[in-house]
Amino acid sequence: MAELLQTAAHAEHDHKPHGWRRWVFATNHKDIGTMYLIAAATMFLIGGLAAMAIRAQLFKSGMKLFDPAMFNSLTTMHGLIMIFGAIMPAWVGLANWMIPLQIGAPDMALPRLNNLSFWILPFAFTLMLASFFVPGGAVAGGWTMYPPLMQQFGAAFPMLIFAIHLMGISSILGAINVIVTIMNLRAPGMTLLRMPLFVWTWLITAYLLIAVMPVLAGAVTMQLTDHFFGTSFFNAAGGGDPVLFLHVFWFFGHPEVYILILPAFGIISEIIPTFSRKPLFGYEAMVYATASIAFLSFIVWGHHMFTVGMPVAAQLFFMLSTMLIAVPTGVKVFNWVATMWRGSLSFEPPMLFAVAFLFLFSIGGFSGLMLALVPSDYQYHGTYFVVAHFHYVLVPGAVFAIFGGVYYWLPKWSGRMYDMRLAKWHFWLSVIFVNVLFFPQHFLGLAGMPRRIPDYAPQFTDWNMVSSIGGFIFGASQVLFPYIVIKCIRSGKPIEANSPWDGAHGLEWELPCPAPYHSWQTPPTEAMLAHGTGH
Amino acid sequence: MKRTRLGRLLATSVLGLAGRLPLAWGASGWDELNMPRGVTSASRSIYALHMMALWVCVGIAVVVFGVMIWSLIFHRKARGAVPDVTLTHSTKVEVVWTAVPVIILASMAIPAARLLLKINNNADPQVNIRVTGFQWGWRYQYVGSDVSIISKLSASSNAASQLHSGISPTSVPHYLLSVDHKVVVPVGEKVRLLITSVDVIHSWWVPDLGVKRDAIPGYINEVSFTIAANRPGIYRGQCTELCGRGHAYMPIVVRAVTPAAYQAWLKQHSLSRGEAAAHTPAATLTST
Ligand code: HEM
Ligand SMILES: [Cu+2]
Ligand SMILES: [Cu+2]
């Protein structure tokens, strides 16, 4: 890491503090972006270790490593860590690094707020992880935290809720910063409809964050007051309604899953044109499709609750609205495919991850479509089929897009090229074993294996073994990623040109490698803009 | 050089997987891979809907992935492909690929909606059973009689499932899917369940019946099924809503018998009043 700082440091005008002050008092978007990415990678590792423990426990029927309560804590914390600790901070880190570069700004608009929104996170994560060690162990009610079960946990319960509040505040501040930056700091000539898609998808994501993080905060706060202050929001015995929590949670929860995936759409929309050497097909359609997905994401939450016993009319409504999301999602996939069509493709690591994203995210979309059909969902819900679905959209979806984004922009950040051969190894191991890991879970779910169980009937053993083996190899292969990044920063081959990718367009590629400490100190020229946006 | 090493890796992992397939299929056929057809008209219709949706998805995948693979092969820079940079927009294809999915989706939504309305019909039940989830088991009360059963994980499964029990799960009949007292229902008659819970949310699921409904404190959820008259038998399921430490250990086992046998069973049990019914010698008929 130290080298990255050095490379950034030899930029002119560096009246920045040195040593630890540079990080604690950081206001530079790149420094903060780097810290976010390191935090995300750390949490990805911890969440990954929890996943390995889960897969070890499930390796075969009857085998027991952990007590069921501990197992439930592991699955709960795995989910929370991956969503709030790994993927969301990774997106904010990428936003910090790339948005100013891509819109021609010197930095984010609100640097001190930026510092605060990052430095909240270590406290939030520490609190969340520390809850493993309090009496009774970590919360074990699933990342969905349904009451009344959630009310049964000890000291970990308020700790988790406080951690969620902190992470929520951090996300909201980060989102405000993104919106203000995009609205106010675009270079002259960078109209909204010339913005790169990563910026567009992040802008929409930021609105989603501001809309739904307070909803989550409200939902968990009501649980807190139910527990400690004698209210009965969700307590049936006191006249409350446990199902109310499910509605409020999923009103947050479904937009949340789009918070996790929209920036990925943005990155894929950057990578595919570059390595197809062709402008993105249907740029405007992509923007409108993203916006309609975001809008629809607010009216589909009931599809997580088909077995709760909602009125049939409500179930019908949620089925139809959910199916409608497939239309703009399809438009996006078709546009990516059309971008590759009659292009001139090459397969550097970012493109490999992007192509894998196209195939595997689509598989997650197909299972999503199947889950949307209410009668079928009666059978799928609460089984490994759902686990397979959301892991296909989250791992070869969101996580692969993060890998692709890092492999795409790392040369711009560090001024050096990474080891392509190793990165391809990382890709092939990941793409093969992510399927070995998750594809059999479709079978398990259909054959009747419920999710969130620490032990299962012997007939499920075969596919669980396959899945666990896939999981171990997938997990082990991820060690390559930090190794490749660190090796690149320390000893990668320096890059002379502004861009290592011959097909890349975008303002970030008009700057030298590595990008200067205060990104754009003079606005880009119209010629740069025209070259950068390609339209 | 690079390519061959990668090729070898691919080949070994594919072969490794393929090696397991016959094992998996040999064990219990397609059951291990797909949704069961089940024994109610609802479960069969759901199976049909599921297969229809699956094939539609496969069809879309073949077309979309086919175009992608074509591009990946023929539009490579390494083959000297020249990018057609003018290809950035086409209203015609964009309208097509918005409209065609709408038609495909509608063709799935209509049968799904029909089926939904059909299976959510709780009118005119012949048997009513109150089902109450608790941590961790199920209580069944037969409405209109005093028969009441508490159904928990069987002792043999329970013993084997303890940490470091040393008992092999394959030595236990129906490990984790057997109970001490089964719920008994008649075939060919419409059975309505009134589902609730006394503590946290549970979910009552028997795949072969095509029934899954949450048990929620403060709510009474209704769900109905009719088992085909020619399909008496034992049907097993599990709780599908995380309900704490014992979530994996509260299975559901339904014994479907002829209406005459059902009536006889009911009579036998109502003679021996209340909860004690479960402990009379007659009740042992229903165990495992
Ligand atoms: C075509 C688009 C999609 C459709 C139609 C769809 C549909 C669904 C449905 C119906 C469920 C509920 C399943 C059940 O519990 O019975 C579900 C669950 C889930 N989906 Fe999706 N989905 C789509 C895309 C996504 C995306 C893009 C993500 C995230 C990146 C995502 C993440 C999840 C997660 C995390 C769950 C499980 C939540 C839980 O119960 O813990 N989905 N999806
Ligand atoms: Cu959803
Ligand atoms: Cu349960």
Side-chain angles (χ1 to χ4, degrees), chain A residues 112-127:
Chain A
R112 290 201 174 83
L113 192 81
N114 209 1
N115 175 293
L116 176 65
S117 71
F118 173 76
W119 278 111
I120 288 173
L121 285 183
F123 296 95
F125 295 162
T126 308
L127 202 57

PDB file of all heavy atoms in Angstrom, chain A residues 112-127:
ATOM      1  N   ARG A 112     -14.806  16.843   4.038  1.00  0.00           N
ATOM      2  CA  ARG A 112     -14.794  16.509   5.462  1.00  0.00           C
ATOM      3  C   ARG A 112     -15.903  15.518   5.783  1.00  0.00           C
ATOM      4  O   ARG A 112     -15.741  14.601   6.595  1.00  0.00           O
ATOM      5  CB  ARG A 112     -14.951  17.769   6.305  1.00  0.00           C
ATOM      6  CG  ARG A 112     -13.710  18.628   6.232  1.00  0.00           C
ATOM      7  CD  ARG A 112     -13.602  19.585   7.387  1.00  0.00           C
ATOM      8  NE  ARG A 112     -12.313  20.282   7.313  1.00  0.00           N
ATOM      9  CZ  ARG A 112     -12.113  21.349   6.553  1.00  0.00           C
ATOM     10  NH1 ARG A 112     -13.090  21.859   5.832  1.00  0.00           N
ATOM     11  NH2 ARG A 112     -10.923  21.906   6.523  1.00  0.00           N
ATOM     12  N   LEU A 113     -17.042  15.707   5.137  1.00  0.00           N
ATOM     13  CA  LEU A 113     -18.132  14.747   5.293  1.00  0.00           C
ATOM     14  C   LEU A 113     -17.663  13.363   4.835  1.00  0.00           C
ATOM     15  O   LEU A 113     -17.993  12.341   5.429  1.00  0.00           O
ATOM     16  CB  LEU A 113     -19.307  15.199   4.429  1.00  0.00           C
ATOM     17  CG  LEU A 113     -20.621  14.486   4.669  1.00  0.00           C
ATOM     18  CD1 LEU A 113     -21.294  15.092   5.874  1.00  0.00           C
ATOM     19  CD2 LEU A 113     -21.518  14.611   3.458  1.00  0.00           C
ATOM     20  N   ASN A 114     -16.863  13.391   3.785  1.00  0.00           N
ATOM     21  CA  ASN A 114     -16.328  12.160   3.234  1.00  0.00           C
ATOM     22  C   ASN A 114     -15.476  11.450   4.283  1.00  0.00           C
ATOM     23  O   ASN A 114     -15.601  10.241   4.494  1.00  0.00           O
ATOM     24  CB  ASN A 114     -15.445  12.529   2.027  1.00  0.00           C
ATOM     25  CG  ASN A 114     -15.399  11.444   0.983  1.00  0.00           C
ATOM     26  OD1 ASN A 114     -16.040  10.413   1.139  1.00  0.00           O
ATOM     27  ND2 ASN A 114     -14.645  11.667  -0.065  1.00  0.00           N
ATOM     28  N   ASN A 115     -14.641  12.219   4.960  1.00  0.00           N
ATOM     29  CA  ASN A 115     -13.809  11.670   6.020  1.00  0.00           C
ATOM     30  C   ASN A 115     -14.686  11.052   7.105  1.00  0.00           C
ATOM     31  O   ASN A 115     -14.486   9.918   7.527  1.00  0.00           O
ATOM     32  CB  ASN A 115     -12.947  12.796   6.610  1.00  0.00           C
ATOM     33  CG  ASN A 115     -12.134  12.318   7.797  1.00  0.00           C
ATOM     34  OD1 ASN A 115     -12.693  11.985   8.827  1.00  0.00           O
ATOM     35  ND2 ASN A 115     -10.818  12.274   7.661  1.00  0.00           N
ATOM     36  N   LEU A 116     -15.702  11.796   7.526  1.00  0.00           N
ATOM     37  CA  LEU A 116     -16.584  11.292   8.580  1.00  0.00           C
ATOM     38  C   LEU A 116     -17.257  10.008   8.130  1.00  0.00           C
ATOM     39  O   LEU A 116     -17.307   9.021   8.861  1.00  0.00           O
ATOM     40  CB  LEU A 116     -17.633  12.353   8.920  1.00  0.00           C
ATOM     41  CG  LEU A 116     -18.683  11.914   9.941  1.00  0.00           C
ATOM     42  CD1 LEU A 116     -18.023  11.651  11.281  1.00  0.00           C
ATOM     43  CD2 LEU A 116     -19.768  12.969  10.079  1.00  0.00           C
ATOM     44  N   SER A 117     -17.791   9.997   6.905  1.00  0.00           N
ATOM     45  CA  SER A 117     -18.557   8.829   6.482  1.00  0.00           C
ATOM     46  C   SER A 117     -17.658   7.599   6.439  1.00  0.00           C
ATOM     47  O   SER A 117     -18.092   6.502   6.754  1.00  0.00           O
ATOM     48  CB  SER A 117     -19.286   9.053   5.161  1.00  0.00           C
ATOM     49  OG  SER A 117     -18.378   9.090   4.105  1.00  0.00           O
ATOM     50  N   PHE A 118     -16.379   7.786   6.111  1.00  0.00           N
ATOM     51  CA  PHE A 118     -15.511   6.608   6.205  1.00  0.00           C
ATOM     52  C   PHE A 118     -15.205   6.238   7.643  1.00  0.00           C
ATOM     53  O   PHE A 118     -15.330   5.077   8.041  1.00  0.00           O
ATOM     54  CB  PHE A 118     -14.171   6.781   5.459  1.00  0.00           C
ATOM     55  CG  PHE A 118     -13.268   5.604   5.742  1.00  0.00           C
ATOM     56  CD1 PHE A 118     -13.511   4.393   5.122  1.00  0.00           C
ATOM     57  CD2 PHE A 118     -12.265   5.664   6.712  1.00  0.00           C
ATOM     58  CE1 PHE A 118     -12.755   3.271   5.442  1.00  0.00           C
ATOM     59  CE2 PHE A 118     -11.511   4.541   7.029  1.00  0.00           C
ATOM     60  CZ  PHE A 118     -11.753   3.347   6.386  1.00  0.00           C
ATOM     61  N   TRP A 119     -14.820   7.194   8.451  1.00  0.00           N
ATOM     62  CA  TRP A 119     -14.307   6.843   9.782  1.00  0.00           C
ATOM     63  C   TRP A 119     -15.392   6.348  10.740  1.00  0.00           C
ATOM     64  O   TRP A 119     -15.083   5.839  11.815  1.00  0.00           O
ATOM     65  CB  TRP A 119     -13.490   7.985  10.375  1.00  0.00           C
ATOM     66  CG  TRP A 119     -12.097   7.936   9.822  1.00  0.00           C
ATOM     67  CD1 TRP A 119     -11.524   8.833   8.969  1.00  0.00           C
ATOM     68  CD2 TRP A 119     -11.113   6.914  10.051  1.00  0.00           C
ATOM     69  NE1 TRP A 119     -10.249   8.426   8.639  1.00  0.00           N
ATOM     70  CE2 TRP A 119      -9.965   7.256   9.290  1.00  0.00           C
ATOM     71  CE3 TRP A 119     -11.081   5.736  10.803  1.00  0.00           C
ATOM     72  CZ2 TRP A 119      -8.812   6.482   9.272  1.00  0.00           C
ATOM     73  CZ3 TRP A 119      -9.936   4.954  10.787  1.00  0.00           C
ATOM     74  CH2 TRP A 119      -8.813   5.335  10.026  1.00  0.00           C
ATOM     75  N   ILE A 120     -16.648   6.491  10.348  1.00  0.00           N
ATOM     76  CA  ILE A 120     -17.705   5.844  11.133  1.00  0.00           C
ATOM     77  C   ILE A 120     -17.583   4.323  11.011  1.00  0.00           C
ATOM     78  O   ILE A 120     -17.843   3.583  11.958  1.00  0.00           O
ATOM     79  CB  ILE A 120     -19.089   6.299  10.614  1.00  0.00           C
ATOM     80  CG1 ILE A 120     -19.349   7.752  11.004  1.00  0.00           C
ATOM     81  CG2 ILE A 120     -20.191   5.409  11.176  1.00  0.00           C
ATOM     82  CD1 ILE A 120     -20.609   8.318  10.388  1.00  0.00           C
ATOM     83  N   LEU A 121     -17.152   3.887   9.824  1.00  0.00           N
ATOM     84  CA  LEU A 121     -17.237   2.447   9.529  1.00  0.00           C
ATOM     85  C   LEU A 121     -16.409   1.558  10.453  1.00  0.00           C
ATOM     86  O   LEU A 121     -16.914   0.538  10.922  1.00  0.00           O
ATOM     87  CB  LEU A 121     -16.853   2.188   8.071  1.00  0.00           C
ATOM     88  CG  LEU A 121     -17.914   2.586   7.049  1.00  0.00           C
ATOM     89  CD1 LEU A 121     -17.455   2.205   5.657  1.00  0.00           C
ATOM     90  CD2 LEU A 121     -19.246   1.916   7.363  1.00  0.00           C
ATOM     91  N   PRO A 122     -15.132   1.886  10.727  1.00  0.00           N
ATOM     92  CA  PRO A 122     -14.376   0.981  11.605  1.00  0.00           C
ATOM     93  C   PRO A 122     -15.077   0.763  12.934  1.00  0.00           C
ATOM     94  O   PRO A 122     -15.062  -0.344  13.476  1.00  0.00           O
ATOM     95  CB  PRO A 122     -13.044   1.717  11.794  1.00  0.00           C
ATOM     96  CG  PRO A 122     -12.928   2.598  10.604  1.00  0.00           C
ATOM     97  CD  PRO A 122     -14.322   2.990  10.231  1.00  0.00           C
ATOM     98  N   PHE A 123     -15.723   1.814  13.452  1.00  0.00           N
ATOM     99  CA  PHE A 123     -16.441   1.662  14.717  1.00  0.00           C
ATOM    100  C   PHE A 123     -17.631   0.734  14.532  1.00  0.00           C
ATOM    101  O   PHE A 123     -17.902  -0.149  15.352  1.00  0.00           O
ATOM    102  CB  PHE A 123     -16.875   3.031  15.238  1.00  0.00           C
ATOM    103  CG  PHE A 123     -15.718   3.912  15.582  1.00  0.00           C
ATOM    104  CD1 PHE A 123     -15.222   4.827  14.665  1.00  0.00           C
ATOM    105  CD2 PHE A 123     -15.079   3.787  16.807  1.00  0.00           C
ATOM    106  CE1 PHE A 123     -14.125   5.623  14.968  1.00  0.00           C
ATOM    107  CE2 PHE A 123     -13.978   4.577  17.116  1.00  0.00           C
ATOM    108  CZ  PHE A 123     -13.498   5.494  16.200  1.00  0.00           C
ATOM    109  N   ALA A 124     -18.354   0.949  13.438  1.00  0.00           N
ATOM    110  CA  ALA A 124     -19.525   0.110  13.177  1.00  0.00           C
ATOM    111  C   ALA A 124     -19.109  -1.357  13.036  1.00  0.00           C
ATOM    112  O   ALA A 124     -19.708  -2.253  13.642  1.00  0.00           O
ATOM    113  CB  ALA A 124     -20.234   0.586  11.912  1.00  0.00           C
ATOM    114  N   PHE A 125     -18.046  -1.593  12.259  1.00  0.00           N
ATOM    115  CA  PHE A 125     -17.630  -2.982  12.028  1.00  0.00           C
ATOM    116  C   PHE A 125     -17.133  -3.616  13.329  1.00  0.00           C
ATOM    117  O   PHE A 125     -17.401  -4.782  13.607  1.00  0.00           O
ATOM    118  CB  PHE A 125     -16.508  -3.047  10.982  1.00  0.00           C
ATOM    119  CG  PHE A 125     -16.937  -2.593   9.608  1.00  0.00           C
ATOM    120  CD1 PHE A 125     -16.007  -2.237   8.648  1.00  0.00           C
ATOM    121  CD2 PHE A 125     -18.284  -2.539   9.269  1.00  0.00           C
ATOM    122  CE1 PHE A 125     -16.394  -1.824   7.381  1.00  0.00           C
ATOM    123  CE2 PHE A 125     -18.685  -2.129   8.014  1.00  0.00           C
ATOM    124  CZ  PHE A 125     -17.731  -1.767   7.077  1.00  0.00           C
ATOM    125  N   THR A 126     -16.390  -2.844  14.109  1.00  0.00           N
ATOM    126  CA  THR A 126     -15.865  -3.394  15.367  1.00  0.00           C
ATOM    127  C   THR A 126     -17.011  -3.798  16.277  1.00  0.00           C
ATOM    128  O   THR A 126     -17.023  -4.885  16.864  1.00  0.00           O
ATOM    129  CB  THR A 126     -14.985  -2.343  16.071  1.00  0.00           C
ATOM    130  OG1 THR A 126     -14.031  -1.883  15.122  1.00  0.00           O
ATOM    131  CG2 THR A 126     -14.277  -2.942  17.267  1.00  0.00           C
ATOM    132  N   LEU A 127     -17.994  -2.926  16.363  1.00  0.00           N
ATOM    133  CA  LEU A 127     -19.158  -3.217  17.210  1.00  0.00           C
ATOM    134  C   LEU A 127     -19.854  -4.481  16.727  1.00  0.00           C
ATOM    135  O   LEU A 127     -20.218  -5.367  17.506  1.00  0.00           O
ATOM    136  CB  LEU A 127     -20.106  -2.022  17.121  1.00  0.00           C
ATOM    137  CG  LEU A 127     -21.111  -1.818  18.233  1.00  0.00           C
ATOM    138  CD1 LEU A 127     -20.395  -1.719  19.558  1.00  0.00           C
ATOM    139  CD2 LEU A 127     -21.891  -0.545  17.953  1.00  0.00           C
TER     140      LEU A 127
END
